Amino acid sequence: MKGGFFPLISRMKYINRWSLMRNTKEENLMEHSFETAAIAQALAIIAKKVYNKSVSHEIIASAALYHDCSEIITGDMPTPIKYGNDDLKKAYKQVEIGAKNRLTELVPDIFRDEYEELICFEENHPDEYRYIKAADKISAYLKCLSEEQGGNRDFVSAKEQLLQSIKDMHMEEADYFVENFAHLYGKTLDELTV
């Protein structure tokens, strides 16, 4: 149904992440997508202001809002399964591309090219997509920090693996964000606003 894209996007709030982990606070796909977009935009601004790179933070933030929208159709596949081996990774990537194509078909024709650009950003702009991938990892890392600070040790190993994967990206903007801001995520509202 043309126009069905918009109510489908709204359903992101019903897809919970971290399904194989015990969570002290569940996180849904819509929450994660917003946080990833905010972090991706920050990374692009850091690239521009700190490292004098030419990156459009507006486009990066917009594309990041839709970085996991295929999961509306596929569901959230746990990372150990999604990236279990090269065959699974390739197969899942094809399923993900099919889901993205299905979603773009549901956008009214007059808007389709604009939304297709955002939904298929990873495939069409891999260099800029690095900012979204880094933000995605940072968002997951921050979730692990939050769970650990809440006394949940189930996320300790994931936190260490995610931090290492962020470092392995060799992306100075991501390193800058983690070094300067990640430790602040455990602060209270009063501490953050003083």
Side-chain angles (χ1 to χ4, degrees):
M1 170 183 284
K2 296 294 183 190
F5 172 77
F6 301 108
L8 277 173
I9 289 296
S10 178
R11 298 184 72 79
M12 290 171 72
K13 63 181 159 264
Y14 302 126
I15 300 168
N16 288 327
R17 293 174 42 83
W18 303 94
S19 61
L20 297 179
M21 309 282 277
R22 179 178 63 84
N23 290 263
T24 58
K25 191 225 177 272
E26 289 192 0
E27 175 186 57
N28 67 50
L29 189 57
M30 189 174 276
E31 292 168 325
H32 167 70
S33 295
F34 175 83
E35 182 172 56
T36 299
I39 295 168
Q41 185 171 46
L43 295 179
I45 292 171
I46 290 166
K48 182 178 178 181
K49 297 292 187 176
V50 178
Y51 299 108
N52 298 311
K53 296 179 182 178
S54 178
V55 181
S56 170
H57 66 87
E58 298 92 346
I59 292 171
I60 296 292
S62 294
L65 286 171
Y66 300 97
H67 81 283
D68 277 342
C69 69
S70 62
E71 292 181 10
I72 295 165
I73 294 172
T74 67
D76 181 36
M77 179 74 68
T79 298
I81 297 168
K82 192 187 310 188
Y83 302 113
N85 62 50
D86 286 340
D87 290 337
L88 283 173
K89 188 176 178 180
K90 287 177 190 173
Y92 186 77
K93 180 49 77 182
Q94 290 307 308
V95 169
E96 189 176 59
I97 288 170
K100 287 179 180 182
N101 290 337
R102 180 68 186 118
L103 284 169
T104 58
E105 289 170 6
L106 298 173
V107 177
D109 294 340
I110 192 171
F111 309 129
R112 184 172 299 138
D113 59 336
E114 300 288 337
Y115 281 95
E116 187 172 20
E117 178 70 16
L118 299 173
I119 293 166
C120 299
F121 197 78
E122 178 180 10
E123 293 78 19
N124 297 328
H125 303 282
D127 290 340
E128 290 94 349
Y129 188 77
R130 291 180 64 237
Y131 291 93
I132 298 169
K133 188 65 179 169
D136 189 36
K137 290 177 184 283
I138 292 169
S139 174
Y141 173 70
L142 296 172
K143 164 68 172 167
C144 293
L145 281 178
S146 174
E147 288 289 333
E148 185 181 30
Q149 289 168 348
N152 185 356
R153 301 225 3 103
D154 285 7
F155 283 78
V156 172
S157 177
K159 178 192 77 172
E160 293 167 1
Q161 291 171 11
L162 281 160
L163 183 58
Q164 188 58 53
S165 72
I166 295 164
K167 290 177 182 177
D168 290 346
M169 291 187 79
H170 304 290
M171 190 174 174
E172 55 196 355
E173 300 89 342
D175 295 337
Y176 183 98
F177 187 95
V178 170
E179 290 167 13
N180 288 282
F181 307 118
H183 69 282
L184 299 173
Y185 278 74
K187 301 286 185 187
T188 65
L189 178 62
D190 289 338
E191 291 170 325
L192 290 171
T193 57
V194 171

